[in-house]
């Protein structure tokens, strides 16, 4: 499994500039609304220094990082759900995404017009929230109509209908689906609807150098949960792409930043979705695998191949740091750091694993 993030926002807030910077792909980013006509998709490697350290002690042919898929669509405007602009046409492209990153403009630039004529982050956030809710209401109403018709032949559909009605009521009151009280069973029932406001939501404030140093003030002033916010400068992200790794580290240090905006955005996505990483490491390749926190060893093995999960027997497991400190598998085994784990083992972030399995014929 991987992580996919859909990028939404009003026109001219820096969505495509950000997309260009984080994917290093040159899509159009001109100074007028609706420049991004077709959805742009970019796959980005997840920065992980643990891979480099593992490669330093385990001779291998290739190193394969985990990846994140970013999908950029046309800018939304007020009335998008009623057909205004072009953004609403492309919301279907991000319905299958794991999370939504909403780019909010906080930078001032008289050369780049704002579609509403002024810089007002809270207003922009409300506009996008409204349009996503209206888009979900359309989906919910269609599902409700179909479910009501099914009731005649399938009385069990009543349970689904009650959940849909509850969601419809919440949306009509302006509440995103993720903030409606639903049980795990309820959420499973509506999963196939791929409701936009049910997805984890990350606010990406696109500012300038000054904003990067005032993240705390922005959070306090706007009463935003910092767990859902990343402050980034699309312009600076683009500049970072032109630098060597050392120059990049020095530049970020000057700005008082521990990592790039992309690193922060990916980390935030992993946190919100409860994802973690384990590794396989051998002569053929060292590879990062993305799983959900709390997965058992067999389920984690299943992301490599279904047979690994079905025929799981045991897993040789070691913390990446122990493998690195002991200069590879042989040293880690001699130091007693490698252990055998069974079917009930909950995989930890940073585990390096070798799966033993048997497939019956």
């Amino acid at each position: 499994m991987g992580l996919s993030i859909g990028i939404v926002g009003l026109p001219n807030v820096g969505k495509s500039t950000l997309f260009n910077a984080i994917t290093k792909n040159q899509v159009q980013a001109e100074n007028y609304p609706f420049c991004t006509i077709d959805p742009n998709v970019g796959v980005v490697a997840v920065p992980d220094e643990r891979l480099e350290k593992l490669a330093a002690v385990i001779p291998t042919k290739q190193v394969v990082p985990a990846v994140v898929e970013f999908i950029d669509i046309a800018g939304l405007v007020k009335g998008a759900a009623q057909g205004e602009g072009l953004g609403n046409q492309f919301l279907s492209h991000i319905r299958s995404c794991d999370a939504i990153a909403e780019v909010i403009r906080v930078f001032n630039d008289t050369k780049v017009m704002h579609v509403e004529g002024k810089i007002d982050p809270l207003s922009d956030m409300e506009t996008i929230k409204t349009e996503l809710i209206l888009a979900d209401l359309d989906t919910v109403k269609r599902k409700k109509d179909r479910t009501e018709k099914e009731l005649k032949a399938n009385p069990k559909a009543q349970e689904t209908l009650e959940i849909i009605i509850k969601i419809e009521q919440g949306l009509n009151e302006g509440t995103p689906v993720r903030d409606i009280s639903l049980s795990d069973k309820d959420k499973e029932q509506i999963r196939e609807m791929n409701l936009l406001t049910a997805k984890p939501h990350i606010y990406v404030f696109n500012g300038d150098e000054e904003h990067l140093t005032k993240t705390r003030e922005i959070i306090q002033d706007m009463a935003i949960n910092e767990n859902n916010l990343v402050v980034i400068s699309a312009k600076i992200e683009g500049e970072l792409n032109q630098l060597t790794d050392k120059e990049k580290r020095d530049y970020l240090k000057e700005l008082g930043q521990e990592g790039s905006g992309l690193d922060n955005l990916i980390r935030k996505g992993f946190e919100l979705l409860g994802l973690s990483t384990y590794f396989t490491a051998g002569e053929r390749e060292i590879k990062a695998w993305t799983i959900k926190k709390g997965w058992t060893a067999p389920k984690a093995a299943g992301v490599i191949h279904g047979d690994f999960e079905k025929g799981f027997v045991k897993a040789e497991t070691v913390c990446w740091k122990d493998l690195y400190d002991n200069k590879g598998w042989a040293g880690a085994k001699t130091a007693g750091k490698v252990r055998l784990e069974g079917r009930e083992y909950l995989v930890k972030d940073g585990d390096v694993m070798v799966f033993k399995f048997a497939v019956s014929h």
Side-chain angles (χ1 to χ4, degrees):
M1 66 179 295
L3 170 62
S4 61
I5 298 178
I7 303 174
V8 301
L10 298 179
N12 291 353
V13 297
K15 289 191 313 91
S16 294
T17 302
L18 175 62
F19 181 85
N20 287 348
I22 62 180
T23 64
K24 300 182 182 179
N25 290 334
Q26 292 304 308
V27 298
Q28 291 178 310
E30 303 300 331
N31 176 28
Y32 54 88
F34 319 129
C35 177
T36 307
I37 303 302
D38 295 318
N40 293 286
V41 181
V43 178
V44 181
V46 176
D48 196 328
E49 65 176 11
R50 295 174 296 184
L51 284 170
E52 298 175 14
K53 292 187 175 181
L54 287 173
V57 297
I58 299 176
T60 190
K61 292 181 180 178
Q62 64 176 344
V63 176
V64 184
V67 297
V68 175
E69 182 181 74
F70 286 94
I71 301 175
D72 178 35
I73 66 168
L76 298 173
V77 294
K78 285 182 180 178
Q82 285 75 43
E84 293 294 327
L86 297 174
N88 193 50
Q89 297 177 26
F90 302 108
L91 285 175
S92 61
H93 294 293
I94 60 172
R95 285 199 177 277
S96 60
C97 288
D98 300 308
I100 290 177
E102 181 180 327
V103 181
I104 303 295
R105 176 175 172 175
V106 292
F107 69 86
N108 284 298
D109 188 339
T110 56
K111 296 179 182 178
V112 181
M113 66 178 183
H114 188 289
V115 71
E116 295 295 328
K118 63 181 186 302
I119 308 300
D120 188 340
L122 287 176
S123 175
D124 292 355
M125 292 163 69
E126 191 62 32
T127 295
I128 298 299
K129 174 185 172 183
T130 299
E131 296 308 323
L132 295 181
I133 283 177
L134 290 173
D136 276 353
L137 268 173
D138 182 59
T139 301
V140 167
K141 287 176 181 176
R142 283 187 276 113
K143 177 67 173 178
K144 180 182 175 184
D145 290 343
R146 291 196 301 270
T147 305
E148 287 175 338
K149 292 176 182 176
E150 290 174 15
L151 272 177
K152 297 176 183 178
N154 179 21
K156 291 184 179 180
Q158 179 63 39
E159 182 180 351
T160 302
L161 181 61
E162 290 174 2
I163 298 170
I164 292 171
I165 290 173
K166 180 178 182 179
I167 290 171
E168 183 182 41
Q169 181 180 351
L171 289 170
N172 276 319
E173 293 171 352
T175 305
V177 176
R178 61 182 172 275
D179 293 333
I180 298 173
S181 178
L182 297 171
S183 67
D184 290 340
K185 183 180 178 182
D186 293 343
K187 292 175 183 177
E188 191 59 40
Q189 290 241 43
I190 65 165
R191 190 179 304 280
E192 54 89 20
M193 295 171 69
N194 278 324
L195 296 173
L196 296 167
T197 64
K199 301 178 186 298
H201 207 84
I202 307 169
Y203 291 109
V204 181
F205 276 35
N206 184 19
D208 49 33
E209 186 174 322
E210 180 184 2
H211 293 105
L212 292 179
T213 62
K214 292 185 176 180
T215 301
R216 183 64 54 189
E217 289 90 331
I218 292 173
I219 292 170
Q220 293 174 342
D221 290 346
M222 303 188 69
I224 295 174
N225 185 339
E226 65 180 302
N227 293 327
N228 293 32
L229 174 68
V230 173
V231 179
I232 199 169
S233 169
K235 181 181 178 182
I236 290 177
E237 290 299 308
E239 293 172 354
L240 288 172
N241 286 339
Q242 312 303 317
L243 305 177
T244 65
D245 288 343
K246 183 181 184 306
E247 289 172 338
K248 188 182 297 186
R249 288 193 296 270
D250 291 342
Y251 187 16
L252 288 171
K253 189 175 181 179
E254 285 180 23
L255 296 174
Q257 303 298 301
E258 293 182 4
S260 71
L262 171 60
D263 293 354
N264 295 334
L265 178 54
I266 291 175
R267 183 166 57 250
K268 191 71 66 175
F270 267 64
E271 290 173 0
L272 283 177
L273 291 164
L275 301 178
S276 67
T277 302
Y278 79 87
F279 307 99
T280 51
E283 293 181 1
R284 189 170 67 86
E285 69 176 13
I286 295 173
K287 186 168 183 176
W289 301 88
T290 303
I291 62 171
K292 286 276 191 180
K293 290 180 180 177
W295 275 16
T296 61
K299 193 166 185 179
V303 302
I304 299 177
H305 195 286
D307 287 347
F308 281 29
E309 181 174 6
K310 293 175 185 176
F312 180 89
V313 176
K314 58 187 176 182
E316 287 189 347
T317 306
V318 59
C319 172
W320 77 270
K321 186 71 164 52
D322 290 331
L323 199 58
Y324 175 71
D325 288 344
N326 290 281
K327 297 180 170 44
W329 284 104
K333 287 178 179 179
T334 300
K337 298 297 183 179
V338 180
R339 60 193 187 277
L340 289 177
E341 300 290 359
R343 301 187 63 84
E344 303 304 315
Y345 177 68
L346 301 182
V347 179
K348 297 180 179 62
D349 185 71
D351 276 348
V352 185
M353 311 186 80
V354 177
F355 298 106
K356 309 295 183 181
F357 68 102
V359 179
S360 58
H361 295 285

